[in-house]
Amino acid sequence: MISITSGFDSGNIAVLSENPVPGGTSFDLAIVKDHQSDFYQWFHFRLTGAKGTAVTLRITNAGGAAYPDGWKDYRACVSADRQDWRRVPTRYADGVLTISITPEADSVWLAYFAPYSMERHHDLVARIAATPGVTHERLGGTLDGQDLDLLVLGEGPKRVWLYARQHPGESMAEWWMEGALEMLADCHDPVARSLRRRATFHIVPNMNPDGSRRGHLRTNAAGVNLNREWHDPNPEKSPEVFHVLNRMDATGIDFAMDVHGDEAIPHAFIAGFEGIPNWTEGQGRLYHLFRDTLARRTPDFQTRNGYPVAGKGKANLSMSTNQLANRFGCVAMTLEMPFKDNADLPDPDHGWSPERSKQLGRECLGALHEILDQLPER
């Protein structure tokens, strides 16, 4: 018997109907909205009992998703072992996303992007926290009672904050974190050793554990978009931002990176803080220096494609990058990675992948190493 289920960590799909077709079967599906929110686009489900059978999966409400432009040229991710995620033929027309697959295994998992489970998150935190020179702290609890984890390493005077997955469906952000943390904790890596000597890193690998576990695209357990809460976080509806920003106020910040994924743009890029009231030319110069250094280091990052730049005084201070740059006078940025692929360097089998996300994490640290000494003394 062929079945589709999603009752697991980060699972999301509703089965509307199964319809036998010549040579196979077809399912009509729907993505479930984030709790108390109209956002939806993340899907993650298991297909069992279909080995060798041609299966058509029709996500019928794709046209109403948060970012329907994200379906153009998109290909879904599939894995039989939940380790190697590959892309499968996918098309979008008339508001329906259609995935075609003939599984080679009795069970396969399909997802919008390679998932990063909460169990893997706990394994990552435990592994890095056990490394000499790393301290771990629970900053507070989420609305669902999960822990908000902070890892601190390094002994240098520069204050660096890295945080990811404010939007839980952007799982590539925590893959990036895994790559960055593995590098920073490697006592044999000379760049990591130099960074730890010159800076202290405060790292939140997952800002939204509740949304991650619930299978949300963009919000926490209360249906709140955390990246619109930084001007005035409320412990009753956005405790994640409330706890992190309180600690940031205690430490101060010289450099901050907020790690995300973008549904529509097939490139990796960064967005800055142009338009903040307290903008300085020095901040802008260092932001562009980091951006251009990263582009020089890796062809998986570019500067031509990205978001429009806010006009003078028009920055949205409810977003973390703008709030932190304005509040601390630091260099802050939002890193975006694609759900699709890097159109300049495509990989037909994997598209943008966990491995590329991890490698970009390492390259971002390499770029920071090059420009770190130019950050002003405070």
Side-chain angles (χ1 to χ4, degrees), residues 41 67 69-70 112 170 217-218 261-265 339-340:
Q41 194 142 353
Y67 304 99
D69 288 346
Y112 187 28
E170 297 164 14
L217 171 74
R218 202 165 174 85
D262 184 88
E263 290 80 3
I265 300 175
F339 277 85
K340 302 175 185 178

Side-chain angles (χ1 to χ4, degrees), residues 39-79:
F39 284 114
Y40 69 89
Q41 194 142 353
W42 171 263
F43 60 87
H44 180 200
F45 56 91
R46 185 184 190 187
L47 171 65
T48 59
K51 181 178 181 180
T53 301
V55 179
T56 301
L57 304 164
R58 301 176 69 252
I59 298 179
T60 59
N61 64 343
Y67 304 99
D69 288 346
W71 301 129
K72 181 178 182 294
D73 299 325
Y74 167 78
R75 291 176 298 144
C77 299
V78 64
S79 177

Side-chain angles (χ1 to χ4, degrees), residues 226-233 241 245 273-279 310 313-327:
L226 296 182
N227 204 27
R228 299 298 184 273
E229 291 288 304
W230 289 78
H231 62 302
D232 186 25
V241 177
L245 187 55
F273 47 91
E274 298 89 348
I276 63 171
N278 296 336
W279 164 275
K314 300 295 185 180
N316 183 349
L317 296 181
S318 71
M319 301 172 68
S320 69
T321 287
N322 293 328
Q323 177 64 219
L324 299 184
N326 196 66
R327 190 185 196 105

Side-chain angles (χ1 to χ4, degrees), residues 179-233:
L181 281 165
E182 287 176 347
M183 177 182 171
L184 276 173
D186 184 355
C187 64
H188 301 292
D189 188 305
V191 172
R193 291 177 60 202
S194 176
L195 282 169
R196 295 196 307 268
R197 178 176 55 83
R198 296 152 62 203
T200 299
F201 287 81
H202 307 263
I203 301 176
V204 183
N206 188 331
M207 283 281 299
N208 197 335
D210 292 352
S212 300
R213 180 170 285 168
R214 285 169 173 257
H216 286 188
L217 171 74
R218 202 165 174 85
T219 67
N220 71 355
V224 170
N225 178 353
L226 296 182
N227 204 27
R228 299 298 184 273
E229 291 288 304
W230 289 78
H231 62 302
D232 186 25

Side-chain angles (χ1 to χ4, degrees), residues 2-4 27 45-50 55 101 103 106-108 110:
I2 299 175
S3 63
I4 290 175
F27 285 87
F45 56 91
R46 185 184 190 187
L47 171 65
T48 59
V55 179
I101 182 173
D106 293 321
S107 294
V108 294
L110 293 102

Side-chain angles (χ1 to χ4, degrees), residues 27-305:
F27 285 87
D28 281 1
L29 309 171
I31 303 172
V32 179
K33 292 180 179 180
D34 292 6
H35 180 60
Q36 297 184 3
S37 168
D38 288 330
F39 284 114
Y40 69 89
Q41 194 142 353
W42 171 263
F43 60 87
H44 180 200
F45 56 91
R46 185 184 190 187
L47 171 65
T48 59
K51 181 178 181 180
T53 301
V55 179
T56 301
L57 304 164
R58 301 176 69 252
I59 298 179
T60 59
N61 64 343
Y67 304 99
D69 288 346
W71 301 129
K72 181 178 182 294
D73 299 325
Y74 167 78
R75 291 176 298 144
C77 299
V78 64
S79 177
D81 60 6
R82 300 200 299 170
Q83 301 296 320
D84 180 32
W85 290 86
R86 294 178 179 267
R87 302 287 176 148
V88 291
T90 307
R91 66 184 184 277
Y92 177 69
D94 301 323
V96 177
L97 186 75
T98 302
I99 305 167
S100 301
I101 182 173
T102 302
E104 297 180 355
D106 293 321
S107 294
V108 294
W109 284 259
L110 293 102
Y112 187 28
F113 190 81
Y116 199 100
S117 71
M118 286 307 299
E119 282 304 307
R120 190 176 185 110
H121 165 85
H122 293 310
D123 288 342
L124 175 66
V125 169
R127 177 160 50 94
I128 299 301
T131 304
V134 179
T135 61
H136 168 264
E137 183 177 346
R138 178 185 183 271
L139 285 178
T142 67
L143 296 173
D144 281 347
Q146 295 194 80
D147 298 330
L148 193 61
D149 293 304
L150 172 69
L151 295 164
V152 180
L153 63 163
E155 59 279 347
K158 299 295 172 64
R159 301 158 298 179
V160 176
W161 274 84
L162 308 175
Y163 54 105
R165 219 167 169 189
Q166 290 200 74
H167 299 148
E170 297 164 14
S171 55
M172 63 284 291
E174 197 157 6
W175 288 109
W176 183 100
M177 275 291 179
E178 183 172 300
L181 281 165
E182 287 176 347
M183 177 182 171
L184 276 173
D186 184 355
C187 64
H188 301 292
D189 188 305
V191 172
R193 291 177 60 202
S194 176
L195 282 169
R196 295 196 307 268
R197 178 176 55 83
R198 296 152 62 203
T200 299
F201 287 81
H202 307 263
I203 301 176
V204 183
N206 188 331
M207 283 281 299
N208 197 335
D210 292 352
S212 300
R213 180 170 285 168
R214 285 169 173 257
H216 286 188
L217 171 74
R218 202 165 174 85
T219 67
N220 71 355
V224 170
N225 178 353
L226 296 182
N227 204 27
R228 299 298 184 273
E229 291 288 304
W230 289 78
H231 62 302
D232 186 25
N234 182 331
E236 300 302 318
K237 68 175 185 175
S238 52
E240 303 89 347
V241 177
F242 179 82
H243 292 307
V244 171
L245 187 55
N246 278 349
R247 181 53 56 89
M248 289 174 166
D249 282 337
T251 66
I253 304 177
D254 296 304
F255 181 95
M257 179 176 283
D258 179 18
V259 189
H260 286 258
D262 184 88
E263 290 80 3
I265 300 175
H267 301 278
F269 61 96
I270 59 174
F273 47 91
E274 298 89 348
I276 63 171
N278 296 336
W279 164 275
T280 70
E281 291 298 327
Q283 279 176 295
R285 180 185 67 80
L286 289 168
Y287 163 73
H288 287 106
L289 177 62
F290 177 87
R291 183 198 65 180
D292 295 344
T293 301
L294 183 58
R296 172 176 54 78
R297 290 182 61 94
T298 173
D300 259 346
F301 179 83
Q302 54 79 57
T303 61
R304 302 178 310 281
N305 300 277

